[in-house]
Amino acid sequence: MTDDIIKYRGWLLQSDRLGTEKLYKEVTLSGTEECNCGQCKEFLTIRDYLYPDEIRGLFTKLGIDINKDFELCDYGDEETGHVYSWWFHFVGKIIEGDDCSVALQAGGYTMNLIPINEFFKIGFTKNISMSFFEGRNDLIQVELWAEIPWDTSVLSKLNTSYEK
């Protein structure tokens, strides 16, 4: 295992990039590609425009195949537009920084994600939901959230350059 130490915003992450890349090569289709619902089909039409360059660069460093999300949830409606939550995994650990999964007093949990731009948020957690890579205890889940208007043409006009 070759570990890379990656500083990203408020986190210090340890990543086995090559191990993660190897796992993703075994995945043939993303969760959204396997699903036939309208929300997943719509997501696939905007996926290439949705990710900020900053996230694309981070995923390359972590070894994550950006086209192989595990699951997509759509919480949007006619008023809010698209409200997507989805996740990926990488082999590694969080060395420094907050785990985005926050336990609720009444039970369950919520996600405390940080904004990347006006549409996009990210966080990391040791609390693994469903995964392509079942049975592994060395994974970190990357939680993503996007709130975008129904008119998705704004995505192609975004300045997605990294801001330190």
Side-chain angles (χ1 to χ4, degrees):
M1 177 164 93
T2 306
D3 289 338
D4 297 318
I5 304 298
I6 298 163
K7 181 158 180 48
Y8 177 73
R9 296 197 173 227
W11 291 281
L12 193 60
L13 305 168
Q14 181 178 344
S15 168
D16 177 359
R17 182 181 53 81
L18 296 177
T20 301
E21 287 174 351
K22 183 177 178 183
L23 288 175
Y24 275 100
K25 284 180 182 173
E26 297 173 13
V27 176
T28 54
L29 294 173
S30 71
T32 52
E33 290 168 327
E34 288 184 351
C35 184
N36 289 317
C37 77
Q39 292 89 347
C40 285
K41 287 180 179 180
E42 176 68 18
F43 180 83
L44 290 172
T45 67
I46 63 172
R47 177 171 65 181
D48 290 341
Y49 303 103
L50 185 59
Y51 292 101
D53 293 341
E54 173 180 336
I55 299 302
R56 290 178 183 281
L58 174 65
F59 276 26
T60 298
K61 290 177 185 176
L62 295 173
I64 295 173
D65 185 333
I66 204 161
N67 293 313
K68 293 183 181 167
D69 55 87
F70 181 79
E71 179 82 12
L72 175 79
C73 301
D74 185 352
Y75 303 104
D77 59 30
E78 288 182 19
E79 290 181 32
T80 60
H82 300 284
V83 180
Y84 294 123
S85 171
W86 71 111
W87 60 91
F88 295 85
H89 300 91
F90 69 93
V91 179
K93 60 176 106 169
I94 302 169
I95 298 171
E96 290 178 12
D98 293 335
D99 189 305
C100 70
S101 180
V102 179
L104 298 173
Q105 255 184 337
Y109 65 95
T110 188
M111 293 293 173
N112 184 19
L113 307 177
I114 66 156
I116 302 302
N117 62 33
E118 64 183 293
F119 302 114
F120 203 94
K121 296 179 183 178
I122 190 171
F124 302 91
T125 182
K126 295 177 270 187
N127 295 327
I128 305 300
S129 297
M130 299 173 289
S131 170
F132 289 122
F133 320 118
E134 293 297 326
R136 296 189 64 111
N137 61 1
D138 58 350
L139 297 176
I140 296 297
Q141 185 161 303
V142 183
E143 289 283 338
L144 301 173
W145 182 271
E147 295 180 38
I148 53 177
W150 287 115
D151 178 7
T152 58
S153 65
V154 296
L155 292 175
S156 63
K157 298 173 186 163
L158 271 181
N159 176 5
T160 59
S161 61
Y162 180 71
E163 295 178 18
K164 292 184 181 182

